[in-house]
Every structure is written in structure tokens, then in C-alpha cells.
Amino acid sequence: MSEWRRRGLLALAGVGMGAGQAPFSLWWLALLALAAVLWLLPGAASLRGAALRGWWAGAGYVLATHFWIIDPFLVDPVRHGWMAPFALLGMAGGLALIFGAGTALAHWLGWSTRSRALALIPALLLAELFRAYGLTGFPWAPLGSLWLETPVAQTAALWGVHGLGAMTLCLLLVPMALRARPGQAAGAAVLSLATVAGLWLWGAGRMAAPQEPTGQVVRVVQPNAAQHLKWDPAYMPIFFNRARELTAIAGPEGTRPDLIVWPETSVPALLHHADNLIAAIEEAAQGVPVLFGVQRSEAGLYYNSLGALREGEVQIYDKRHLVPFGEYMPFGELLSQWGITHLASAQGYGYAPGPEGQALLDLGPLGKGLPLICYEGIFPQDLRGFPERADWLVLVTNDAWFGQLTMPYAHLDQARMRAIETGLPMIRAANTGISAVIDAEGRVITRLGLGETGYADAPLPPPRAETPYARQGDLPVLLWGLAFLLALGAGRIAIDRRRRAS
């Protein structure tokens, strides 16, 4: 097979891997495509050739799972539309470099086709971790999330989504590495299938375990404010009053929920100018605590914030993990001279990050909630660093920027994975959808679909015991990957010495 044909197949297989992500969630097809990628990767003639193979596979995967990145630029196409193709190609090409670096590392560490295949396990794991943490991080569509619609996903409570990805690589690559020895390869394949079956049964058992209900009811409010109208002065009061009216509706037999959650930036004024709006929310809520998204300013800086209104007082959480080029512009003053500005904030050069170690939202009888705003929900590490464990997670977001094809579904799946990893239920309020209440096993209890206007009431699911992953994070998986690499490196050194001696 020619090298260019192999690269084309790698790109197509990379696209096929995207079928495991929402809204398709075809985990079996993604596994087959990943197996094809792993089969085609080893055997390059040079380090450069190995890197190019990984780059083509990565580019196909990123194009399949990240093409929604063009949608924010089309909200105001006259101003930003010209940047859309550059954003898509730049993201695909740039993130594919990480995959290419992983395959190059595996090629460099190995001394044979088999050892290079095995080296792909820790090398691609470290590439995924770099994608999650490096350069502010962007772990969209992590490999392990392809299991989300199966009970195997429950093992993320043990080792997180990146541990799931490492497990997947092991199950596929070990039999492949032994393909020159049919007997051993068959035994490894049987062991892999048995491992999947065991994890499947363990996960099913975890999902079936009974849980005591909390007896509390939460309401998510979805005002459905189209992004191109959201900040139009003529429409801002319409969308606000829509959310307020949805808040005021009584439940069955006149009952009220115990908590009401509005989406990101749902209050159309800076917090210190919003006294009348806050009073209107309090009146509509009739004594029920309300969480709402709002912008605020302090000392000349602007923040994307979540307010918790309870008993006339507002507790504030400021978003810590901001979106580069969306909520803040690196080198903003310089780039603005060419008309390149951030997309989300209308103030200055974007938002300032909130301080680390902010307190959880204390809502008295409801317990304490761990707040997340939009982008923060894709980072498992952003759910750590708080002074105590929460009773539930709450994520407010505005996915109206990103169309209705794939991104809102994939973003919801990220929230589901965070619930599994932490063992905590998740309340998710999205401006245009998908709003949902998710239990601690990642199951959606109730939802409001894309483009719907309305509210949904649901019982607040109970938390589980703190998970191993919530306590330890990605450190064990990282150390395992590094130890694997060191073992391969030691093997490479020993082989080289033996060859020189002979």
C-alpha cells in the first residue's frame, strides 16, 4: 500500500472514530474505526513518517468532532464570517499535531513493529492528557467518551475519561502487537473481550444499585434566546420576562420546586445595575432559591458569573476557566487593530478569570452546589480545588453560539461524564437547550430539547459516595503512562546496547 493511500485511510478512519461521539454515539463503529487507525499507524519508515500518519488520523477525528467551531463566526457573518474556515482548518491542523507527536514518540521509543504498537498506548494517552491540560487545555471529544452509552462508562468513577481511553487502547493494541504470533494474539483478544464483559457487568451493577431519594425538586428554565437576538435591546426584556414567567409557574397542585436554575448570562444587565431585575426574579420565585447567569464588573474588570439568590442575598461565583478567543483575547489590544476581537463579551478585551478556591454555593437545606459555567464543564480538573465536597453539580451554559447539529449534544455528554466521574448529580440549564437533570450515574432524568422554550421539574437525584477519581484525579493514569514509557525506553536502550555489542 502506498504511503499516501495509507494516510487517506487513516483520515477516513479518524472521521469514523467521531461516530462514537454525540449525537451519533455509535460506540461499536468508533471502536472499529479506532482499531483500523491503530492497525495502520505502526510500521512507518521514519520518525517524520510516523508523525504524519498520526497527524492524518488526528485531523480526520478533529474535523469530525469539532466542525461546529464555525457556528460562532456565523452569528454575525458580516463581521466574523471570514474567520470561520481558518478557525476550522487551524483547529484541525493544530490539534492533529498532538496526535502526530504521540505517534512520533511511539515510533522513537520502539525498536520493532510490535514494540512500536505497544508504545502507542502510553504515547497516545499522554497526547490526550496534553490536549486536556496543555496550553489552557481543550479536551473536547476525549477518546474514552465513546463508551458513554454503555455501562463500561461507569468505570470513569475509578479512573476518569482519560483512564477509559487508556483502557481502550490497551484492549485493542495488545492483541494487535501480538499478531505475528497467532496463538498469543488469539489469547490476548479473548482476554480483551472478557475484560470488556467484566467492566460491562460491573457498570451495570453500579447503575442498578438502589439510591435513597432526596425528596427535593429542581426546575431548569430554558428561555430559548436566539444568539443573534440575545443582546438586542428590543429583545432583552422579552427573553428576561419569558424566564421570569417560567419561574413563576406553579407545579402540580400548586407546589413549588426547591431550586430554580436559569442559564448563563440570562440576566441582561451588569449585576450592580440589576437591582430591579433581581427583585423581579425574587418575586417570581416566591421564596425559592434561584441560580442565574449574569455579568458583573469590579475594579475595571468584567466577570462571567453565576448568582445564587436566596433569602434576599446573592452569592457570586466567577468563572475561572475562560475560553481563549471567545471570552478573552490573548494579546487583545494588539489584535484589535486588525479587527480581531473576542466573541462573547461586549466589554473591553473580554472577561477576567475568577479566583481559585471560591466557596461552594450554600443553599441551606438543599446542601451545597459546585458551580460550573459553560466551558468549565469539559474539564474534570475544574471540579476539584474547592474546599469541600459538594452535594450536587450545577452547570449554566449558552450553547446558542454553536448551532444544533452536534455541539449541544456533545456538551451534554460531557456533563454526563462529569457526573459519573464525581458521583454527583448534575443540574444543567442551557439557554436554547439542552437543559437537563442528570443523576450520579450520568443518566438524563429529564431534559428540554434544542430550540424549546419552557421549564422542566425533576427530583434532585442523590449523590453517591466520593469516587476514587474524584479523590485522585488524573495523576494515577499519568504516572502509569510515564512508567510505561520509561519501561519502553529502558528496553530501547538495552536493545541498542545489544546491537552495538554484536
Side-chain angles (χ1 to χ4, degrees):
M1 182 188 302
S2 71
E3 188 61 23
W4 276 106
R5 181 174 296 179
R6 184 183 293 267
R7 292 171 186 172
L9 289 174
L10 281 165
L12 287 174
V15 171
M17 287 168 55
Q21 307 296 324
F24 310 107
S25 301
L26 301 174
W27 61 272
W28 54 270
L29 181 56
L31 280 177
L32 290 174
L34 176 58
V37 166
L38 298 176
W39 185 271
L40 292 165
L41 279 176
S46 65
L47 193 68
R48 178 177 179 274
L52 284 172
R53 288 184 182 185
W55 186 91
W56 280 94
Y61 184 61
V62 175
L63 282 172
T65 53
H66 294 64
F67 67 86
W68 49 264
I69 196 65
I70 67 173
D71 286 303
F73 300 94
L74 302 181
V75 172
D76 185 357
V78 174
R79 185 179 181 186
H80 298 123
W82 64 273
M83 291 187 276
F86 296 100
L88 178 59
L89 295 177
M91 175 169 284
L95 291 179
L97 291 174
I98 300 174
F99 291 90
T103 54
L105 176 61
H107 181 90
W108 180 74
L109 282 171
W111 55 90
S112 64
T113 300
R114 182 173 64 178
S115 63
R116 284 168 177 161
L118 287 175
L120 283 170
I121 298 172
L124 291 179
L125 166 63
L126 293 179
E128 281 283 271
L129 288 172
F130 180 81
R131 193 158 68 96
Y133 287 89
L135 304 175
T136 79
F138 188 58
W140 191 262
L143 180 61
S145 61
L146 68 87
W147 294 101
L148 188 57
E149 295 301 330
T150 76
V152 176
Q154 298 299 309
T155 63
L158 305 176
W159 48 41
V161 70
H162 300 302
L164 263 176
M167 179 271 295
T168 306
L169 293 171
C170 286
L171 294 176
L172 292 174
L173 275 166
V174 172
M176 289 183 187
L178 297 171
R179 62 181 181 267
R181 302 175 181 179
Q184 293 181 6
V190 170
L191 181 60
S192 291
L193 290 173
T195 300
V196 172
L199 296 177
W200 194 291
L201 290 173
W202 183 87
R206 185 176 190 267
M207 296 174 73
Q211 298 287 317
E212 289 291 329
T214 64
Q216 298 163 327
V217 174
V218 296
R219 172 176 295 181
V220 287
V221 170
Q222 188 166 296
N224 195 30
Q227 190 58 43
H228 68 288
L229 299 174
K230 180 175 171 64
W231 299 113
D232 186 322
Y235 283 88
M236 286 192 293
I238 294 174
F239 297 136
F240 176 81
N241 287 327
R242 184 183 293 172
R244 183 179 57 81
E245 290 164 4
L246 293 169
T247 298
I249 296 173
E253 301 180 357
T255 58
R256 300 290 296 162
D258 298 288
L259 175 66
I260 300 170
V261 184
W262 288 24
E264 179 184 14
T265 59
S266 49
V267 173
L270 293 172
L271 182 61
H272 61 283
H273 293 315
D275 289 348
N276 291 339
L277 300 180
I278 302 301
I281 295 173
E282 189 169 22
E283 180 183 3
Q286 301 173 42
V288 176
V290 179
L291 308 183
F292 58 88
V294 67
Q295 299 175 90
R296 72 181 195 91
S297 65
E298 182 179 334
L301 299 176
Y302 291 83
Y303 298 90
N304 187 1
S305 305
L306 175 65
L309 175 61
R310 176 174 176 259
E311 298 178 350
E313 300 293 328
V314 177
Q315 182 183 354
I316 290 296
Y317 166 78
D318 295 320
K319 187 176 183 182
R320 298 176 296 158
H321 203 144
L322 302 176
V323 184
F325 305 100
E327 292 179 309
Y328 75 97
M329 177 58 64
F331 311 108
E333 187 172 358
L334 176 64
L335 293 177
S336 68
Q337 298 177 20
W338 287 275
I340 302 175
T341 61
H342 49 83
L343 295 173
S345 171
Q347 307 292 340
Y349 297 109
Y351 296 120
E356 297 292 330
Q358 298 178 73
L360 301 177
L361 303 175
D362 188 350
L363 296 180
L366 275 164
K368 295 182 178 180
L370 193 161
L372 302 165
I373 300 177
C374 190
Y375 189 60
E376 291 176 319
I378 74 173
F379 295 96
Q381 62 266 33
D382 284 351
L383 279 68
R384 297 193 294 276
F386 287 82
E388 55 188 317
R389 189 178 190 234
D391 299 295
W392 37 270
L393 310 170
V394 59
L395 187 148
V396 298
T397 185
N398 175 30
D399 292 347
W401 284 101
F402 302 104
Q404 297 191 0
L405 289 178
T406 63
M407 188 278 187
Y409 297 97
H411 201 193
L412 173 66
D413 276 5
Q414 292 264 13
R416 295 173 60 196
M417 188 62 76
R418 301 294 86 79
I420 296 171
E421 289 170 336
T422 59
L424 295 174
M426 168 81 80
I427 307 163
R428 186 179 196 270
N431 170 29
T432 55
I434 305 167
S435 299
V437 177
I438 302 163
D439 71 12
E441 292 78 38
R443 292 172 292 207
V444 176
I445 303 302
T446 189
R447 75 168 70 195
L448 289 164
L450 281 175
E452 291 184 22
T453 301
Y455 74 92
D457 289 348
L460 176 63
R464 298 183 66 99
E466 188 175 24
T467 65
Y469 180 75
R471 291 192 296 269
Q472 301 164 0
D474 291 315
L475 183 60
V477 174
L478 171 64
L479 294 177
W480 176 85
L482 291 174
F484 200 152
L485 282 181
L486 289 173
L488 287 166
R492 170 67 184 268
I493 292 171
I495 292 292
D496 287 346
R497 285 176 176 174
R498 192 178 307 163
R499 286 173 178 171
R500 285 195 298 268
S502 61

